[in-house]
Amino acid sequence: MAFFLETLIGGLMAGMLYSLVALGFVLIFKASGVFNFAQGAMVLFAALAMARFSQWVPGWLGIESKLLGNIAAFALAGALMLAIAWVVERLVLRHLVNQEGVTLLMATLGITYFLDGLGQTLFGSDIYQIDIGMPKDPVFLLENVFEGGVLVNLEDVYAACVAALLVAALSLFFQKTATGRALRAVADDHQAAQSIGIPLNRIWVIVWFVAGITALVAGMIWGSKLGVQFSLTTVALRALPVIILGGLTSVPGAIIGGLIIGVGEKLSEVYLGPFVGGGIEIWFAYVLALVFLLFRPQGLFGEKIIDRV
């Protein structure tokens, strides 16, 4: 039982991190109706900015405290993501209002390569470390209940808590604020939203900035665990099954989908892997996503689109 709980908790922790990356896709899609292929590049770019600023800022400002240095680095990286959002809206999205979805999709591919090149130019292409103070030593819990206790990685627990807080904040933002409701209106119909006075350009800057902050938090966590390297862009690929499962338009769906994928990967690898030679964790999520595409393409919480002619 203790081993099962360790596997289950590990899956839940991984699932929260998948959800965090998937949120970036959901946010952009909800505001523009386009699948943002640049989300992986945004995670990498934000992580590079955080890693390098945390090295540079203490020297620039004469800060000796690591905590204050990280806070200042996060603020600078956030400001940079705001600048990226403004540039994307000014140079790309503004000129593609009411265009076909495939046009916007190709635009996000261009943004991907732009951010990849800009990140290398500004911050270099080495492997960098992000130290945000999360403990890395595992601990044993429930020792009085199970013999030997349950082994839990504290870094995963802290990361999952941060991800859960951000997810909760974004859910409240979309449901309870006027800006969040405006974002949903823009996603439904650009022209109708403009006709009732919703400033489309400002809304797109806001949503790309929020997606950038989400990418920054995800990049910090993944960078702390794995190091900041260009393979981080592939983290976005792990989030694709999450949004297919949860629904491309649902913030709660991204959470539930991430948890299901995370737990399913861990449990299948541990309990089914020995019978098929291992490696289930690599392809489990994609097979599950394929099943959903065949039988419920809108996902668990996505909106079913009906076109009437």
Side-chain angles (χ1 to χ4, degrees), residues 28-178:
I28 298 297
F29 190 85
K30 285 176 73 70
S32 61
V34 65
F35 187 82
N36 178 29
F37 262 107
Q39 191 63 32
M42 290 172 65
V43 171
L44 172 62
F45 185 86
L48 280 172
M50 181 65 192
R52 299 299 274 162
F53 284 149
S54 64
Q55 295 173 356
W56 295 339
V57 166
W60 292 347
L61 303 180
I63 298 176
E64 296 182 0
S65 169
K66 179 180 290 188
L67 176 61
L68 292 179
N70 283 333
I71 292 174
F74 181 86
L76 279 178
L80 184 58
M81 298 311 293
L82 175 59
I84 292 294
W86 183 85
V87 169
V88 166
E89 188 282 322
R90 177 72 59 170
L91 300 182
V92 181
L93 299 179
R94 172 172 296 200
H95 305 287
L96 298 177
V97 175
N98 297 322
Q99 295 296 315
E100 294 291 333
V102 67
T103 303
L104 288 167
L105 177 64
M106 295 304 295
T108 65
L109 285 174
I111 294 169
T112 298
Y113 291 110
F114 169 74
L115 289 178
D116 281 343
L118 183 63
Q120 292 183 69
T121 301
L122 295 178
F123 306 115
S125 57
D126 292 334
I127 298 176
Y128 304 105
Q129 297 296 321
I130 295 180
D131 183 6
I132 53 178
M134 290 196 299
K136 297 183 179 294
D137 296 330
V139 296
F140 288 94
L141 303 177
L142 303 177
E143 293 181 89
N144 295 329
V145 179
F146 302 104
E147 184 179 354
V150 176
L151 184 64
V152 176
N153 191 327
L154 276 181
E155 184 179 30
D156 289 342
V157 174
Y158 277 72
C161 290
V162 171
L165 288 174
L166 183 59
V167 165
L170 288 174
S171 298
L172 291 174
F173 171 73
F174 270 104
Q175 298 297 327
K176 302 298 183 181
T177 67

